[in-house]
């Protein structure tokens, strides 16, 4: 079925997105990332209060990220169909309401369920935020700068999350980190309704419900197998069955997408290396970043025995560097293009991870701090470049799908990072086993960062 678009007149640069509208859009991405970094710091407190296991903590993080990644592609096409402002506002409402439910959870299982519901909000919110920016800025240079602010807002969320989360956990308890989202969400809703205009809408588009079902099954079974494999046995019938179901669902998804008239994942996008490479970079970047934040949060609190607030301070070098670099990286990308910032950013992240490895082995806080800073600088440099690269390779009518795919790859990387690195770690109660697992986990992340930098350089 063909897509029929109603395209209004293109706004002039004088009609560009209002500054407060851009602020509201970036605020949405800020809330999503803030929630991730805040939760990492609160994990040991949740474990103590709700009597959870390491696998349970992984599900607290990945329950949110899993549904976020699973629904992003459908959310991108939904925004194209209904209008990205409407979809963006719906995401805000769901995220804010689910945050309130998380704060009231009486058990770990209910908290995980609330986190799954909370993940629906960002799935609607994030791809629509990029589409609203693309619609609001016609000039590639101004769009690159706006994407830099958008990426910078995530860096601010990463930077503020550990220290804010640590202070809240120490003073008001872990439930307060979810209540924090409620006033932020209400403020952002008001700003968006007032200062952001609606985008063009696709009038006819067949829904790809079977494709969406296959994505959810594939990611859920893969995540379950990776998290529970260590405790149940990697060759146990249940874990092997989950891996087989994941393979079957993935194959079914590809088959459906090749035959669907309006697939939620247009496979022709991947015929261009300029599109495919940023998708891979996004997956690698979040695998390393989310995985490292998860590992370091446990390392500082369970091995170094830092209180939550001090653990938040210990994570600041990485998160502050990410935020500050992302704020200027949009301008660098506008001037130098997208390729060189991605190469340099991934290489810096690789070097930073190696310094973490040396610092963990020698218990040197100086090396750990230097490694965190380099990782933050690298990630902050890479995100605006890869995002701009994606937006510049597709027509405006498909930017919602493209931005959703980029963010889906990033969230998939985050799910895999927490699941795989968490499965490598040893028991939290055995210092030597945990440190041995952490050594292997950091080495894996460093190799992936290096692989990403080399692939971008030679492609």
């Amino acid at each position: 079925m063909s897509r029929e678009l109603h395209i209004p007149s293109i706004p002039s640069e004088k009609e560009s997105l209002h500054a407060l509208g851009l602020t509201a859009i970036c605020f949405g991405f800020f809330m999503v990332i803030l929630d991730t970094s805040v939760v990492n710091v609160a994990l040991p407190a949740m474990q103590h209060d709700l009597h959870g296991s390491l696998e349970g903590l992984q599900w607290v993080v990945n329950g949110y990220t899993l549904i976020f990644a699973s629904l992003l592609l459908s959310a991108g096409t939904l925004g194209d169909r209904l209008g990205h402002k409407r979809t963006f506002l719906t995401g805000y409402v769901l995220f804010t309401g689910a945050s309130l439910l998380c704060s009231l959870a009486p058990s770990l299982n209910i908290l995980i369920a609330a986190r799954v519901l909370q993940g629906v909000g960002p799935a609607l919110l994030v791809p629509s935020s990029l589409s609203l920016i693309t619609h609001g800025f016609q000039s590639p240079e101004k769009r690159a700068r706006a994407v830099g602010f958008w990426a910078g807002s995530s860096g601010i969320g990463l930077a503020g999350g550990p220290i804010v989360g640590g202070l809240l956990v120490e003073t008001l308890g872990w439930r307060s980190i979810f209540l924090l989202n409620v006033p932020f969400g209400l403020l952002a809703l008001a700003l968006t309704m007032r200062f952001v205009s609606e985008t063009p809408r696709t009038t006819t588009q067949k829904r790809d419900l079977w494709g969406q079902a296959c994505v959810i099954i594939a990611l859920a079974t893969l995540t379950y197998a990776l998290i529970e494999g260590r405790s149940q046995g990697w060759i146990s019938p249940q874990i092997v069955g989950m891996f087989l179901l994941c393979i079957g669902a993935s194959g079914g998804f590809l088959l459906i997408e090749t035959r669907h008239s309006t697939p939620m994942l247009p496979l022709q996008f991947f015929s261009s290396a300029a599109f495919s490479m940023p998708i891979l970079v996004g997956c690698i970047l979040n695998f390393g970043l989310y995985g490292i934040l998860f590992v370091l949060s446990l390392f500082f609190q369970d091995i170094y025995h830092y209180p939550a607030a001090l653990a938040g301070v210990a994570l600041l070098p990485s998160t502050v560097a990410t935020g500050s670099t992302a704020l200027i990286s949009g301008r660098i990308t506008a001037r130098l293009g997208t390729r060189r910032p991605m190469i340099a950013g991934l290489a810096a992240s690789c070097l930073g991870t190696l310094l973490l490895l040396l610092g963990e082995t020698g218990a040197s806080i100086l090396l750990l701090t230097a490694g965190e800073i380099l990782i933050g600088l690298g990630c902050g440099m890479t995100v605006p470049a890869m995002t701009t690269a994606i937006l510049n390779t597709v027509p405006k009518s498909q930017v919602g799908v493209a931005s959703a795919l980029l963010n889906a790859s990033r969230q998939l990387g985050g799910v895999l990072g927490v699941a795989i690195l968490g499965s490598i770690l040893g028991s939290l109660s055995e210092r030597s086993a945990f440190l041995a697992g952490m050594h292997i986990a950091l080495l894996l992340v460093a190799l992936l960062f290096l692989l990403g930098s080399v692939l971008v350089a030679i492609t």
Side-chain angles (χ1 to χ4, degrees):
M1 183 183 297
S2 62
R3 300 183 183 184
E4 300 174 9
L5 300 176
H6 171 67
I7 303 177
S9 59
I10 297 176
S12 67
E13 286 303 311
K14 292 182 179 180
E15 298 171 325
S16 292
L17 185 65
H18 193 282
L20 287 177
L22 179 61
T23 300
I25 292 170
C26 293
F27 202 33
F29 197 31
F30 160 81
M31 287 177 62
V32 170
I33 303 302
L34 177 73
D35 192 73
T36 301
S37 55
V38 163
V39 167
N40 274 306
V41 176
L43 289 175
M46 294 177 187
Q47 181 187 31
H48 181 268
D49 187 29
L50 301 177
H51 310 290
S53 62
L54 177 59
E55 289 79 12
L57 297 182
Q58 288 177 274
W59 280 116
V60 170
V61 176
N62 270 351
Y64 171 84
T65 315
L66 174 64
I67 200 68
F68 185 3
S70 299
L71 297 180
L72 271 169
L73 292 176
S74 289
T77 57
L78 183 67
D80 289 338
R81 181 185 180 91
L82 301 180
H84 287 285
K85 178 180 178 180
R86 182 180 302 177
T87 307
F88 189 76
L89 289 171
T90 303
Y92 260 137
V93 171
L94 288 173
F95 181 82
T96 304
S99 295
L100 181 60
L101 294 178
C102 288
S103 71
L104 301 174
S107 68
L108 189 63
N109 288 336
I110 294 178
L111 175 60
I112 292 170
R115 287 282 286 168
V116 170
L117 178 61
Q118 191 185 27
V120 178
L124 298 174
L125 190 152
V126 172
S128 289
S129 67
L130 278 175
S131 296
L132 290 170
I133 289 175
T134 302
H135 174 69
F137 294 96
Q138 308 306 311
S139 164
E141 292 79 12
K142 290 187 177 182
R143 186 185 306 157
R145 293 190 185 98
V147 169
F149 284 115
W150 177 84
S153 67
S154 71
I156 295 172
L158 277 173
I163 187 65
V164 171
L167 290 173
L168 287 174
V169 170
E170 289 291 315
T171 57
L172 301 175
W174 64 264
R175 298 179 187 276
S176 63
I177 67 172
F178 296 111
L179 283 174
L180 182 70
N181 294 330
V182 177
F184 280 175
L186 295 176
L187 175 61
L189 278 168
L191 288 174
T192 304
M193 293 176 67
R194 174 66 179 83
F195 294 107
V196 178
S197 60
E198 187 57 279
T199 61
R201 290 185 288 175
T202 302
T203 57
T204 59
Q205 183 176 350
K206 187 178 179 181
R207 295 180 181 178
D208 188 4
L209 297 179
W210 286 110
Q212 176 64 83
C214 286
V215 169
I216 294 175
I217 293 171
L219 292 183
T221 52
L222 177 61
T223 304
Y224 181 90
L226 291 173
I227 290 178
E228 302 292 340
R230 183 176 62 175
S231 61
Q232 296 188 21
W234 293 105
I235 60 173
S236 66
Q238 187 170 1
I239 297 302
V240 172
M242 287 295 174
F243 278 124
L244 292 176
L245 187 55
C246 172
I247 294 172
S250 299
F253 172 71
L254 293 176
L255 181 62
I256 290 169
E257 298 309 284
T258 58
R259 297 184 175 184
H260 202 281
S261 56
T262 55
M264 66 177 184
L265 175 59
L267 296 178
Q268 68 270 18
F269 281 175
F270 293 96
S271 62
S272 167
F275 182 91
S276 301
M277 190 51 60
I279 296 295
L280 178 60
V281 167
C283 186
I284 291 174
L285 195 73
N286 272 39
F287 182 102
L289 183 59
Y290 280 44
I292 285 174
L293 286 175
F294 180 81
V295 171
L296 288 182
S297 295
L298 298 176
F299 173 72
F300 284 127
Q301 295 184 72
D302 288 305
I303 303 301
Y304 270 21
H305 302 294
Y306 285 179
L310 185 57
V313 173
L315 292 174
L316 275 179
S318 175
T319 55
V320 169
T322 301
S324 58
T325 306
L327 289 172
I328 64 172
S329 180
R331 296 183 180 182
I332 296 173
T333 299
R335 181 171 299 180
L336 299 180
T338 60
R339 184 168 173 266
R340 282 180 283 181
M342 281 194 285
I343 295 172
L346 289 166
S349 297
C350 173
L351 180 57
T353 307
L354 292 176
L355 289 180
L356 285 184
L357 189 62
L358 294 174
E360 171 264 319
T361 303
S364 170
I365 194 65
L366 182 61
L367 283 175
L368 289 172
T369 302
E372 285 189 55
I373 291 173
L374 271 177
I375 292 172
L377 292 175
C379 291
M381 180 66 66
T382 305
V383 171
M386 70 182 184
T387 305
T388 303
I390 286 292
L391 297 181
N392 289 344
T393 58
V394 297
K396 281 194 173 184
S397 62
Q398 293 180 309
V399 73
V401 177
S403 60
L405 180 57
L406 173 61
N407 283 287
S409 73
R410 294 185 64 189
Q411 296 309 314
L412 174 60
V415 168
L416 295 178
V418 173
I420 293 175
L421 299 191
S423 69
I424 293 173
L425 295 177
S427 172
L428 293 175
S429 61
E430 299 179 16
R431 178 185 176 91
S432 60
F434 181 90
L435 291 178
M438 182 176 175
H439 186 90
I440 297 172
L442 291 177
L443 183 60
L444 174 61
V445 171
L447 290 174
L448 284 175
F449 280 144
L450 178 61
L451 175 64
S453 181
V454 171
L455 287 177
V456 174
I458 66 177
T459 302

